[in-house]
Amino acid sequence: PETGLSAGLPGPRCNRGMDTSTVTQPRRAERLVTGQPTQDGAGVKLTRVLTHDLQQRLDPFLMLDNFASDDPNDYGAGFPSHPHRGFETVSYMLTGNMRHKDSAGHEGLITDGGVQWMTAGRGVIHSEMPEQNDGVMEGFQLWLNLPGKDKMCPPWYRDIQSPEVPEYTTPDGVRVRVIAGVSHGTAGAVQREATQPLYLDVIFPDAGGRFSQPLPAAHNAFIYVYRGEVSVAGSPVARQRMAILANEGDGVTLQASAAARALLIAGQPLREPIAQYGPFVMNTRDELIQAVEDFQNGRLA
Ligand code: MN
């Protein structure tokens, strides 16, 4: 709760506008976006929610994919061995089993509710393969950019099984899983200094409810509704729609009148040039050419 005490404190470390405050000037939904059906890996059907043309607007986020199917023909072939350089991948599995193996020696299985965070840095070659022959496979993969100074850092990997994902429940009964960042005093599983990502899974109960999250106005932010319907400052956002939140005010207020689930994702923009060629994201074309050469010559990983 807002005590009012922090408002008088000087200096950049004061808490005003951060997560102990309430939201008084909520952001509007600036634009609604419908994801693009596509295929990736060895033919996995998915919906690309955050597409290439939104990379500048949603800096530091580069991509968000949503996969959801109960047909193994849609997901069974998985994502066999492929490289990455220059950014981070965050996989959040709602239902299903996916095994990750990479050239840095990391291996892990993520299952229902689990998260896998991989920093590709200077390079990894990895595979992400379903470990089930039937049933539902549903989840998300988010790409988070690295600042130029960190793009060639050593690779890093961590999986966070579902019980280890920090979460809390508001007095309204809204359950909030904190994958990254800090929400209402609950620190998420991962923190990143340069991009300050906030990644929440907001779960409204059958009766719905209201959820507010303070956000610095400069941070780019969006929600993606994947169950039910959620309103942003009075504007309804239907299932399978992303709402880009205007850079204004002191946070976001979400409201649901029935059961609903939405991702709330925000971060500090890097404001650097973005150069992407497939699985490589660097600052310049020359760095991309170098990445391809390194991969072809076995020097990437
Ligand atoms: Mn990958």
Side-chain angles (χ1 to χ4, degrees):
E2 172 61 86
T3 61
L5 294 173
S6 62
L9 295 176
R13 289 184 181 277
C14 94
N15 232 3
R16 192 156 61 102
M18 297 304 282
D19 90 283
T20 54
S21 307
T22 53
V23 172
T24 57
Q25 294 173 284
R27 293 187 184 207
R28 287 167 299 116
E30 170 185 292
R31 181 179 161 192
L32 299 183
V33 176
T34 303
Q36 305 292 319
T38 185
Q39 294 190 10
D40 209 337
V44 176
K45 285 187 185 164
L46 51 82
T47 301
R48 187 144 294 162
V49 176
L50 196 174
T51 47
H52 194 265
D53 55 310
L54 293 170
Q55 288 179 340
Q56 295 288 344
R57 176 63 188 88
L58 293 175
D59 176 11
F61 303 103
L62 299 163
M63 194 186 84
L64 177 67
D65 283 346
N66 178 201
F67 45 92
S69 177
D70 60 2
D71 180 353
N73 293 317
D74 290 348
Y75 62 72
F79 303 87
S81 184
H82 60 279
H84 292 294
R85 172 179 281 180
F87 63 102
E88 306 189 83
T89 66
V90 185
S91 301
Y92 178 32
M93 188 66 84
L94 295 172
T95 305
N97 303 311
M98 185 88 82
R99 184 171 294 276
H100 163 99
K101 281 186 199 175
D102 73 38
S103 53
H106 304 120
E107 180 170 351
L109 180 70
I110 53 166
T111 65
D112 303 4
V115 174
Q116 175 214 85
W117 197 295
M118 186 186 77
T119 306
R122 68 168 307 282
V124 294
I125 297 170
H126 77 159
S127 61
E128 300 153 283
M129 298 300 290
E131 208 157 274
Q132 63 188 46
N133 298 317
D134 54 26
V136 174
M137 174 75 73
E138 182 180 17
F140 304 94
Q141 187 169 89
L142 178 72
W143 287 13
L144 170 62
N145 210 352
L146 285 167
K149 69 178 176 58
D150 294 337
K151 283 184 178 292
M152 295 298 278
C153 72
W156 183 88
Y157 172 88
R158 187 183 157 198
D159 46 51
I160 305 124
Q161 302 302 333
S162 190
E164 277 84 54
V165 176
E167 59 174 72
Y168 64 91
T169 302
T170 71
D172 263 12
V174 179
R175 184 174 150 225
V176 182
R177 311 194 79 215
V178 189
I179 295 167
V182 180
S183 178
H184 295 258
T186 296
V190 172
Q191 310 295 329
R192 285 290 181 264
E193 194 179 334
T195 47
Q196 293 181 39
L198 177 75
Y199 187 166
L200 307 181
D201 184 10
V202 184
I203 303 161
F204 294 91
D206 290 346
R210 195 178 153 92
F211 173 73
S212 289
Q213 173 64 48
L215 292 172
H219 287 202
N220 291 328
F222 63 94
I223 66 164
Y224 179 67
V225 178
Y226 67 95
R227 296 277 191 284
E229 182 181 285
V230 171
S231 288
V232 177
S235 301
V237 183
R239 194 171 79 88
Q240 295 183 318
R241 296 291 181 277
M242 170 168 70
I244 298 175
L245 305 178
N247 289 79
E248 62 188 10
D250 58 359
V252 62
T253 296
L254 306 178
Q255 191 137 18
S257 54
R261 291 183 72 156
L263 304 180
L264 168 59
I265 295 173
Q268 175 162 271
L270 291 168
R271 304 187 201 287
E272 293 179 5
I274 301 167
Q276 179 176 359
Y277 179 73
F280 308 124
V281 184
M282 305 300 288
N283 295 122
T284 68
R285 183 181 153 81
D286 283 353
E287 290 167 345
L288 289 178
I289 292 168
Q290 186 68 55
V292 172
E293 279 182 15
D294 286 350
F295 177 53
Q296 287 171 345
N297 296 313
R299 293 189 308 253
L300 179 120

